[in-house]
Amino acid sequence: MIKDFKLPDLGEGLTESEIVKWQIAVGDTVELNQVIAEVETAKAVVDLPSPFAGKVTALHEDEGATVQVGAPIVSIDVTEELSGDDAAKPVPAADGADAGQESKAGNGKPERQSVLVGYGPAAENDGRPKRRARGAARSAAAAPVEQTVQGAADQGTTGAVEQASSPTTAKPAERPRSTPPVRKLAKDLGVDLTQLEGTGKDGLITRQDVQAFADGGAAEPAQAGAAPADRRHGEREVRIPIKGVRKHTAAAMVKSAFTAPHVSEFLTVDVTPTMELLAKLKASRAFAGYKLTPLTILSKALMVALARNPSLNSRWDEANGEIVQMSYVNLGIAAATPRGLVVPNIKDAEQLSLTGLATALTDLTETARAGKTSPENLSGGTISITNIGVFGIDAGTPILNPGEAAILAMGAVRRQPWEYQGEVGLREVMTLSLSFDHRMVDGEQGSRFLADIGAILAEPGMILTMI
């Protein structure tokens, strides 16, 4: 029986997602809960597991396509019987899933009906879904393959090994590297991308490659300093689709700017003592292996300041006419990634030590830049920090992350003339920029909060007088 897998609701209130990369091809045999695609939501790239096992008969969308929730994306033939003990072996439900969500396909195979990412039975090995090499082609015209189905009773799933019908097993060919607009152009011009050799960076197939092939010629290799690879025939404008992270960020910033009355304040601080403290901590054996930065100290200072000024850790509940003040801190860190701006947050950051914050900040930024931040860690933030200093910027007027009462911008640390103990000398100086929602935070409260953070950075020992 052929079953269509429809793009599920990823639990973020979204109506569409983009297929970033297929992990399967037509003809592949997939296992229950195996990752079949990487899907981009408005906030992150997430793995999409299969809700049932079988043979892939069709992929309904190309990589780069934006798909509406509920639209079919892949068809799988689930008629083959499980081998050995697998047919009778119960499959555990995923953590947090309702038992009532399980059902049986027509062949008795377990199937998961939940619509959230990560649904489906958990594998009985290390809990991580298997990734399978993609086939040489994605159409029904692909070369025949010989499928050997192995019993996998120790994992509770049915495995499959694909081999080319040729006596020599070749590594499956990767799909030609190109961008969605280039693939569309190739489709419109009737060009088979597998026949092209890309002249772009790392072999990327460009518009010029496609156009030259369609015209019967060959594209010239891209030269250093030349126009962008996807600009053709000397176009003076390049149109970039508004989707994914950019679309979400734009909507969120417009909503925030026109909903919350922003107030911004600035404080320039001599942070020489903080920089000296950082140097001592880095040299200490107790902090060996930890990545300590000014952001680490600022995050800890913010926790202390919030305890003294809790109104900055609030949210506006319009429906109930209430201001909700949180006793926990989910600290958001604005991260610039190749996909755009995201603000993942550290849950219960107020409970972490300095080393705990250092570890959490390192993990958060590395995961965000890799585009692997989970939707859970991209929601529920209570207050945020944006480090504009890494770009050499001193100050700005940050826009609130929607639903939060405040955001703190950390400027660059600069060595410059500064009055110190009645004389002028070279000191390490930083500017802090605080924006807050004036519905929840009065000017006095915002000013005291900013002054507390500045006092700690100017003299870290002051933290002992505040806790």
Side-chain angles (χ1 to χ4, degrees), residues 395-420:
T397 54
I399 297 179
L400 296 170
N401 204 27
E404 298 177 11
I407 180 171
L408 181 66
M410 170 185 173
V413 178
R414 298 192 184 279
R415 191 165 177 80
Q416 63 187 55
W418 193 261
E419 189 276 330
Y420 178 68

Side-chain angles (χ1 to χ4, degrees), residues 45-383:
V45 174
V46 297
D47 289 338
L48 190 65
S50 173
F52 34 75
K55 182 178 180 180
V56 178
T57 60
L59 300 180
H60 299 292
E61 300 291 346
D62 290 332
E63 292 179 353
T66 298
V67 185
Q68 296 294 318
V69 169
I73 57 174
V74 60
S75 294
I76 299 178
D77 186 349
V78 298
T79 55
E80 295 183 6
E81 293 294 334
L82 290 172
S83 62
D85 297 334
D86 292 339
K89 189 169 184 176
V91 181
D95 292 341
D98 294 332
Q101 290 179 316
E102 292 187 7
S103 64
K104 297 287 183 178
N107 62 343
K109 292 184 179 181
E111 180 181 335
R112 173 63 68 187
Q113 299 297 328
S114 172
V115 296
L116 297 179
V117 170
Y119 61 83
E124 293 181 24
N125 47 21
D126 60 356
R128 301 181 65 179
K130 292 185 177 180
R131 289 180 179 248
R132 191 169 295 278
R134 296 173 55 211
R138 295 175 50 211
S139 66
V145 295
E146 177 184 353
Q147 296 181 342
T148 304
V149 180
Q150 317 175 54
D154 58 330
Q155 293 186 10
T157 56
T158 300
V161 177
E162 295 188 3
Q163 296 179 333
S165 55
S166 166
T168 302
T169 301
K171 181 180 180 179
E174 289 293 332
R175 180 176 179 164
R177 295 185 63 252
S178 60
T179 61
V182 173
R183 288 195 289 273
K184 184 178 185 303
L185 175 63
K187 182 178 180 181
D188 294 342
L189 296 178
V191 173
D192 182 0
L193 291 179
T194 61
Q195 303 298 315
L196 276 66
E197 290 186 6
T199 60
K201 183 178 180 181
D202 297 328
L204 182 74
I205 297 176
T206 68
R207 286 181 178 273
Q208 289 94 327
D209 297 330
V210 175
Q211 193 67 50
F213 189 92
D215 295 340
E220 293 293 330
Q223 300 296 322
D230 60 351
R231 184 182 298 180
R232 58 173 180 168
H233 300 312
E235 286 185 8
R236 294 169 59 84
E237 297 179 354
V238 175
R239 293 181 175 268
I240 302 173
I242 303 173
K243 59 182 181 179
V245 171
R246 177 60 57 191
K247 184 176 182 179
H248 172 79
T249 300
M253 292 300 98
V254 169
K255 180 180 179 181
S256 177
F258 289 95
T259 301
H262 286 59
V263 174
S264 295
E265 295 183 340
F266 308 89
L267 178 65
T268 302
V269 184
D270 176 1
V271 296
T272 305
T274 289
M275 302 307 291
E276 293 172 345
L277 173 63
L278 271 175
K280 293 178 181 177
L281 294 178
K282 291 178 180 179
S284 170
R285 295 176 60 181
F287 290 88
Y290 293 99
K291 185 178 180 180
L292 297 174
T293 68
L295 177 59
T296 315
I297 304 297
L298 178 64
S299 299
K300 193 63 177 177
L302 182 141
M303 298 303 150
V304 176
L306 276 182
R308 290 163 55 91
N309 305 275
S311 64
L312 279 291
N313 196 47
S314 305
R315 63 180 173 85
W316 185 267
D317 188 343
E318 183 71 33
N320 295 313
E322 298 173 335
I323 294 175
V324 182
Q325 201 168 96
M326 285 76 74
S327 59
Y328 59 91
V329 181
N330 291 344
L331 178 61
I333 304 294
T337 75
R339 299 173 49 249
L341 175 68
V342 295
V343 190
N345 60 78
I346 301 171
K347 306 298 184 185
D348 299 314
E350 83 286 354
Q351 299 181 16
L352 299 178
S353 63
L354 193 62
T355 54
L357 278 172
T359 301
L361 287 169
T362 300
D363 293 344
L364 177 146
T365 53
E366 290 179 351
T367 303
R369 287 169 183 164
K372 297 298 183 181
T373 306
S374 67
E376 177 189 4
N377 289 332
L378 285 166
S379 59
T382 63
I383 189 170

